[in-house]
Amino acid sequence: MAKELAKAYDPSEFEDRIYKFWEDNGYFHAEVDKNKKPYCIMMPPPNITGKLHMGHALDETLQDILIRFKRMQGYSALWLPGTDHASIATEAKIVEALKQEGIEKEDIGREEFLKRAWDWKTEYGNTIVEQLKKLGSSCDWKRQRFTLDEGCSDAVKDVFVRLYDKGLIYRGERIINWCPNCLTSISDAEVVFDEHEGSFWHLRYPVSDGSGYVELATTRPETLLGDTAVAVHPDDERYKDLVGKTVILPLVGREIPVVADSYVEPEFGTGVVKITPAHDPNDFEVGLRHNLPVVNVMEDNGTMNDQCGKYTGMDRYEARKEIVKDLQEGGFLIKIEPIKHNVGSCYRCKTIVEPRVSKQWFVKMKPLAEPAIECVKSGKTKFVPERFDKIYYNWMENIRDWCISRQLWWGHRIPVWYCDDCGETVVAKQTPDCCPKCGCKKLTQDPDTLDTWFSSALWPFSTLGWPEKTPELEYFYPTDVLVTGYDIIFFWVARMIFSAVEQTGMQPFDTVLIHGIVRDANGVKMSKSLGNGIDPLDVIKNMGADALRFFLVMGNSPGNDMRFVPEKVEACRNFANKLWNAARFIHMNIDDYDVKNELPDELTLDDKWIVSTLNTLAKEVSENIEKYELGVAVQKLYDFIWDCLCDWYIELAKTRLQNNDGSAEGARQVLVYVLTETLKLLHPFMPFITEEIWQSMPHDGETIMLQKYPEYDEALSFPEAEKQMNMIMDAIKAIRNRRSEMNVPPSRKAKVYIAAKDKDVFESGKIFFTRLASAAEVNIAESFDIEGAVTVITADAKIYIPMDELVDKKAELERLEKELKSAEKDLEFNEKKLSNKGFMAKAPEKVVNEVRANADKFREKIDMIKAAMAALK
């Protein structure tokens, strides 16, 4: 490692080098160590198709801060990384690559397709891992996992078999969400609802006996071809005589029954609804209650099937237009009413999903949801912020059975076989040799794969070796905290909790730390389509990883969105530069001396103040991190480094350092001690710069990341010194402010008279006024009677500065006289315009208002100049 600091702060010169140093020395690795407390975070596994975006950067930064903090506190801190196989997204990538070669996946078959998928994973699947390293992520890469690796796959099969044996996994025909683009079912959690412009098509269905029509409305007229009933509420008096009769389905001519069902809301519309069991979840339930046939009218790709006559082969939206046209021509269309309504789309490809009846595998959710709800209610798992538990409860209490089968090849294949002879269903972890019922050797495995989230749900314990009772599982589980965005509470967090409670009897983690999303500077969500995304790697290249990390935490509060503002990242880089320059200054004053990294026996007032302030900071920052108030912690560090250390203590110490007397050695020791302790406090937030500077300072140990995190020490608390220094600093700030208001340059020295009860305090700080308040001489007494002096008042002192010493009265009056004449001339010019009738009549209102504002501004300026002149006279 470097022992000298470069003259200029250039993170590109050392960030990669430092990361390699950490990784090569195994500092990220955590072992089962009974002499240490365990601390464990599971990285939410990014998709192998993914590339680092600002959401990842925020997520990983928060996790890295926590893990570095706990590692420095002496915990065996495991941050276990890994990647997700991402069934839908990865399969789409392979299919697209095949299309470029003019090949369909069916042309090469499942085995060859999977070989290509694994090859793709080998080539591209680690891209995001390498990108995460650029951020400084201190994961235990030796323990890296993949949701399709042998151990995770074994756990998936085990859970499937266990749930099946308990009757919690079943196969059945149900309404599922179907994506016509991804060509697979997706779970409720994978459907995103957005408001769309739409229509209510008001239709009339003729009653079969010729007695009239029933009127109803639909938002999806193309599904009319699959109607198998119309329904009314059993208590609706308007339709009592219709129940039991039939109506004729427009365009099709099929007779369908009128049924009575309490699902219908009599007050909504006409109180009549069309029932399409194959294409609506509520209609499907009505169909089950009334034994209605299920008529599916669509193919997998969203085109109309061979049940649809002349509309066969049309895209669903093309068919909609044709059907509406034919309904109008046939006299069945009453009116079209424009509406806004929520429409569900696939969270992956944004295609509008199609509810359809399909034979799929499901997890029975109610028995799993109840203990998972109790897990949070009992406090075993806590959400930070707490308000997110309401979202969790709402989803879990209203959860439907989870469709877990996917019509894909890439993923965990469902461990179910069907006997070719007798049709027996065999569920097993290993491929069965024969049918247990008839002994037939010919068995065919279910072609479907499991929902990606099925394996992700097991992540906190499968990665530690479950179902085996490994030392890692016993030591690190349950894990401590899960850091994740609020957008995947349903997808992932809830599923991890119910899976863990069911399989391990324990919570998967004690705390769920929820963060918001990173929006652009205007508050708009970043997206590829809008082109407003910011590549974190570009920011790291230009500003350094530390600046990006510091920005992502600064002002960030749990659960809330934040905006990416480039100027604020630059301000964070300037902060790093300030710290670098402070370290360079300290080097200039210690490099020729043998300076110990410990406090001297004798501390001056300013030494005690900075040491005591740092001591309090250590306590507060640790408390803030423990409470997940990372934004608060980082703001305190910023204020201490910028204000206390750089702007005050270093300036205060310069006199001692320049005099090079007996107190200089103490100042050097305090500077080294305060800087190195501050670097340790800052390290979890800005790991690279803190390591680089720490390595250049006198130190023991190999790396800052294994140093003990600073703790509060009662022996280093000097409240009286803090109080006294604050009195002195308040007086210096007040003098500086008054001199600034009077435009007095720092080079102009003036006598300072300080009237105060605590004379001894100000006596001890005389040298500080000379250095930092441009004092030519400092006089201290309980009171003074001085005429012609500028007076400055603080809570602890009344300060006088003779006016003649601040300004040359004669020269200043001459200057002000000139300024007054110029301002009066400008005022006259503007007033003439305002009294000119022609100008007032012809000039635009905006111009007139500007002239009025200018006149007001010059009047105010004249008053201020006259007041300044009066004060001088």
Side-chain angles (χ1 to χ4, degrees):
M1 294 297 291
K3 294 295 179 188
E4 290 182 17
L5 279 189
K7 286 183 180 177
Y9 169 61
D10 182 359
S12 66
E13 286 294 313
F14 59 82
E15 287 189 347
D16 288 348
R17 165 171 52 80
I18 285 174
Y19 196 89
K20 186 176 186 302
F21 163 71
W22 290 331
E23 203 173 7
D24 288 351
N25 284 281
Y27 296 142
F28 304 155
H29 185 58
E31 286 287 357
V32 173
D33 185 344
K34 298 298 181 185
N35 296 318
K36 290 182 177 181
K37 287 182 182 176
Y39 186 84
C40 184
I41 296 177
M42 294 293 172
M43 177 189 286
N47 293 345
I48 55 170
T49 56
K51 286 190 176 172
L52 192 72
H53 57 63
M54 210 49 84
H56 289 129
L58 172 61
D59 203 58
E60 310 311 325
T61 296
L62 297 177
Q63 291 171 76
D64 195 43
I65 289 167
L66 295 174
I67 213 77
R68 284 180 183 272
F69 171 64
K70 287 294 177 182
R71 191 184 286 124
M72 291 177 79
Q73 282 191 322
Y75 287 74
S76 181
L78 170 62
W79 183 15
L80 195 146
T83 49
D84 194 296
H85 64 279
S87 296
I88 295 174
T90 307
E91 182 141 333
K93 291 268 186 193
I94 315 304
V95 168
E96 184 59 36
L98 288 171
K99 278 184 180 172
Q100 301 296 321
E101 300 175 41
I103 304 171
E104 295 292 326
K105 73 175 190 178
E106 289 76 15
D107 297 340
I108 59 171
R110 187 170 196 140
E111 196 173 322
E112 177 60 25
F113 180 86
L114 290 176
K115 182 179 176 298
R116 288 195 180 218
W118 278 103
D119 289 345
W120 188 93
K121 189 261 174 190
T122 303
E123 189 171 352
Y124 300 108
N126 233 30
T127 301
I128 195 159
V129 167
E130 293 308 310
Q131 291 173 333
L132 288 174
K133 292 180 179 182
K134 287 280 186 187
L135 266 172
S137 305
S138 61
C139 314
D140 189 344
W141 297 112
K142 292 177 183 175
R143 296 184 184 273
Q144 185 176 343
R145 301 300 300 269
F146 176 50
T147 49
L148 267 180
D149 68 25
E150 189 179 345
C152 289
S153 297
D154 189 56
V156 164
K157 290 175 196 167
D158 199 285
V159 169
F160 189 97
V161 173
R162 286 179 189 222
L163 292 176
Y164 181 82
D165 289 346
K166 285 182 78 169
L168 294 174
I169 281 183
Y170 65 92
R171 192 180 188 217
E173 285 207 332
R174 294 283 184 280
I175 280 276
I176 49 96
N177 306 297
W178 183 266
C179 176
N181 181 54
C182 297
L183 296 179
T184 183
S185 58
I186 58 175
S187 70
D188 291 346
E190 293 167 303
V191 179
V192 179
F193 285 92
D194 293 304
E195 192 172 72
H196 285 245
E197 301 278 350
S199 300
F200 257 142
W201 283 272
H202 291 260
L203 310 176
R204 56 163 65 101
Y205 285 25
V207 181
S208 302
D209 62 9
S211 59
Y213 298 88
V214 292
E215 291 185 10
L216 50 85
T218 180
T219 57
R220 301 170 69 222
E222 66 278 11
T223 64
L224 166 153
L225 306 175
D227 287 1
T228 55
V230 296
V232 297
H233 194 278
D235 300 333
D236 195 331
E237 294 294 331
R238 293 171 295 175
Y239 303 114
K240 278 216 179 264
D241 295 341
L242 266 179
V243 176
K245 290 187 177 184
T246 59
V247 295
I248 296 168
L249 186 57
L251 307 184
V252 180
R254 184 168 73 237
E255 283 193 35
I256 58 175
V258 179
V259 300
D261 196 281
S262 55
Y263 154 68
V264 181
E265 296 177 38
E267 302 80 21
F268 186 76
T270 61
V272 182
V273 294
K274 63 193 272 308
I275 302 297
T276 322
H279 295 281
D280 183 277
N282 294 311
D283 292 5
F284 180 77
E285 298 299 327
V286 173
L288 288 177
R289 288 194 287 273
H290 297 275
N291 248 354
L292 298 174
V294 177
V295 179
N296 176 29
V297 297
M298 282 186 213
E299 300 287 0
D300 291 355
N301 62 0
T303 58
M304 308 308 284
N305 66 16
D306 57 11
Q307 297 274 333
C308 301
K310 63 183 274 193
Y311 311 109
T312 298
M314 288 184 186
D315 173 77
R316 52 186 166 160
Y317 297 117
E318 183 190 348
R320 176 182 290 181
K321 288 177 187 171
E322 288 300 312
I323 287 168
V324 168
K325 190 175 87 174
D326 292 347
L327 286 168
Q328 190 164 18
E329 288 174 1
F332 300 111
L333 181 64
I334 301 167
K335 64 175 179 177
I336 302 172
E337 177 190 351
I339 59 164
K340 286 183 178 177
H341 63 145
N342 282 333
V343 177
S345 55
C346 172
Y347 87 111
R348 280 278 175 219
C349 69
K350 308 297 182 278
T351 303
I352 291 175
V353 298
E354 197 60 52
R356 59 181 286 180
V357 169
S358 178
K359 197 169 223 182
Q360 301 284 348
W361 286 94
F362 294 85
V363 174
K364 203 177 283 182
M365 282 309 309
K366 197 165 172 38
L368 295 173
E370 286 170 356
I373 290 168
E374 184 53 34
C375 178
V376 176
K377 282 191 171 170
S378 67
K380 287 179 181 174
T381 292
K382 296 178 289 296
F383 281 86
V384 177
E386 198 177 327
R387 68 178 186 270
F388 284 98
D389 61 10
K390 313 279 188 306
I391 298 170
Y392 172 79
Y393 293 142
N394 184 53
W395 195 69
M396 293 294 273
E397 285 162 2
N398 297 287
I399 199 165
R400 297 195 322 173
D401 285 357
W402 174 18
C403 175
I404 54 169
S405 44
R406 297 289 179 269
Q407 291 61 55
L408 301 165
W409 287 352
W410 174 247
H412 297 276
R413 193 163 178 182
I414 290 177
V416 173
W417 289 261
Y418 308 103
C419 177
D420 290 1
D421 279 5
C422 71
E424 176 72 1
T425 298
V426 184
V427 178
K429 280 184 73 172
Q430 306 301 328
T431 305
D433 295 324
C434 62
C435 173
K437 189 175 180 183
C438 71
C440 172
K441 297 273 187 185
K442 289 184 178 178
L443 295 121
T444 303
Q445 189 173 358
D446 194 301
D448 289 353
T449 53
L450 287 164
D451 178 6
T452 298
W453 298 102
F454 191 93
S455 54
S456 305
L458 317 181
W459 190 248
F461 51 95
S462 66
T463 49
L464 292 171
W466 187 95
E468 301 301 319
K469 286 187 177 178
T470 63
E472 286 80 4
L473 186 69
E474 290 185 3
Y475 182 68
F476 288 111
Y477 187 83
T479 67
D480 289 270
V481 60
L482 174 82
V483 181
T484 189
Y486 59 63
D487 49 343
I488 57 171
I489 291 176
F490 317 130
F491 285 124
W492 194 41
V493 178
R495 286 170 176 161
M496 279 191 287
I497 294 175
F498 70 64
S499 298
V501 172
E502 169 66 22
Q503 303 305 332
T504 71
M506 290 187 279
Q507 72 277 18
F509 24 72
D510 300 333
T511 303
V512 183
L513 176 58
I514 301 286
H515 60 75
I517 59 174
V518 185
R519 298 177 177 274
D520 70 11
N522 299 312
V524 179
K525 188 174 180 180
M526 293 183 184
S527 71
K528 283 182 188 172
S529 57
L530 291 174
N532 64 340
I534 306 288
D535 186 343
L537 295 176
D538 288 342
V539 180
I540 291 169
K541 184 179 176 184
N542 296 322
M543 298 285 177
D546 284 328
L548 176 60
R549 288 169 63 113
F550 204 73
F551 161 75
L552 289 169
V553 184
M554 184 82 113
N556 186 296
S557 58
N560 293 330
D561 292 350
M562 64 180 297
R563 296 185 182 197
F564 183 87
V565 183
E567 293 78 11
K568 288 189 177 179
V569 185
E570 197 169 339
C572 292
R573 192 192 188 282
N574 292 342
F575 168 72
N577 197 58
K578 180 106 172 170
L579 177 62
W580 188 269
N581 288 339
R584 288 270 308 154
F585 170 81
I586 293 169
H587 268 293
M588 285 163 54
N589 287 280
I590 68 168
D591 284 355
D592 295 332
Y593 303 90
D594 181 19
V595 181
K596 295 174 184 174
N597 190 346
E598 60 185 42
L599 290 174
D601 295 334
E602 295 293 325
L603 294 174
T604 61
L605 177 65
D606 49 327
D607 290 341
K608 286 180 178 177
W609 165 73
I610 193 71
V611 168
S612 189
T613 305
L614 174 64
N615 192 35
T616 303
L617 179 73
K619 178 185 176 189
E620 291 182 358
V621 165
S622 292
E623 286 173 355
N624 291 138
I625 298 174
E626 296 284 6
K627 290 190 220 168
Y628 305 105
E629 297 167 346
L630 306 186
V632 177
V634 92
Q635 185 65 54
K636 288 176 180 175
L637 282 163
Y638 178 94
D639 292 343
F640 176 82
I641 292 166
W642 194 285
D643 297 334
C644 300
L645 177 58
C646 296
D647 286 358
W648 282 100
Y649 185 73
I650 285 177
E651 293 302 318
L652 295 169
K654 279 180 180 176
T655 304
R656 289 157 66 192
L657 293 169
Q658 286 164 4
N659 292 343
N660 204 14
D661 56 16
S663 67
E665 186 180 347
R668 284 192 282 269
Q669 280 184 246
V670 173
L671 279 167
V672 170
Y673 171 84
V674 170
L675 179 63
T676 52
E677 291 301 295
T678 303
L679 292 171
K680 292 175 197 173
L681 287 172
L682 184 62
H683 175 73
F685 303 92
M686 300 181 93
F688 292 109
I689 188 173
T690 50
E691 181 76 82
E692 183 74 351
I693 296 174
W694 183 85
Q695 291 286 352
S696 75
M697 287 286 155
H699 65 267
D700 292 320
E702 297 174 23
T703 172
I704 191 173
M705 65 181 285
L706 297 182
Q707 294 296 299
K708 185 181 179 185
Y709 202 74
E711 294 176 350
Y712 180 79
D713 182 350
E714 190 62 46
L716 299 180
S717 176
F718 305 109
E720 191 57 33
E722 286 192 61
K723 182 184 169 188
Q724 291 175 8
M725 269 308 294
N726 283 324
M727 288 164 65
I728 292 167
M729 285 157 56
D730 286 346
I732 291 171
K733 281 187 262 190
I735 294 169
R736 281 173 162 182
N737 289 342
R738 180 53 57 89
R739 288 174 63 101
S740 175
E741 287 165 11
M742 295 176 68
N743 296 315
V744 182
S747 58
R748 190 176 182 104
K749 306 291 181 185
K751 289 177 185 167
V752 172
Y753 296 84
I754 301 172
K757 285 183 180 178
D758 298 305
K759 290 190 297 177
D760 292 347
V761 172
F762 290 97
E763 281 287 352
S764 66
K766 267 186 175 181
I767 193 170
F768 305 142
F769 286 91
T770 305
R771 175 158 198 93
L772 300 178
S774 301
E777 181 184 304
V778 183
N779 300 283
I780 296 158
E782 285 199 13
S783 65
F784 289 99
D785 184 13
I786 302 173
E787 289 185 12
V790 173
T791 308
V792 181
I793 297 172
T794 71
D796 308 291
K798 193 168 185 180
I799 302 157
Y800 303 90
I801 310 170
M803 179 70 78
D804 290 347
E805 300 209 9
L806 287 176
V807 291
D808 180 333
K809 219 186 251 190
K810 186 182 174 189
E812 184 65 8
L813 279 169
E814 286 174 2
R815 186 186 70 78
L816 288 171
E817 194 70 53
K818 281 183 187 174
E819 210 172 320
L820 179 63
K821 282 178 181 173
S822 173
E824 285 173 340
K825 192 176 178 183
D826 288 333
L827 175 61
E828 184 184 4
F829 174 76
N830 284 279
E831 283 181 334
K832 275 183 180 176
K833 278 191 172 184
L834 294 171
S835 61
N836 185 323
K837 290 180 181 176
F839 171 78
M840 296 299 284
K842 293 176 184 175
E845 186 181 357
K846 185 183 175 187
V847 174
V848 173
N849 287 338
E850 281 176 4
V851 174
R852 279 202 184 103
N854 284 338
D856 290 340
K857 186 175 75 177
F858 288 119
R859 283 189 199 99
E860 191 179 337
K861 187 175 181 180
I862 288 165
D863 290 342
M864 288 170 67
I865 294 169
K866 285 180 177 177
M869 290 173 75
L872 279 171
K873 288 172 182 174

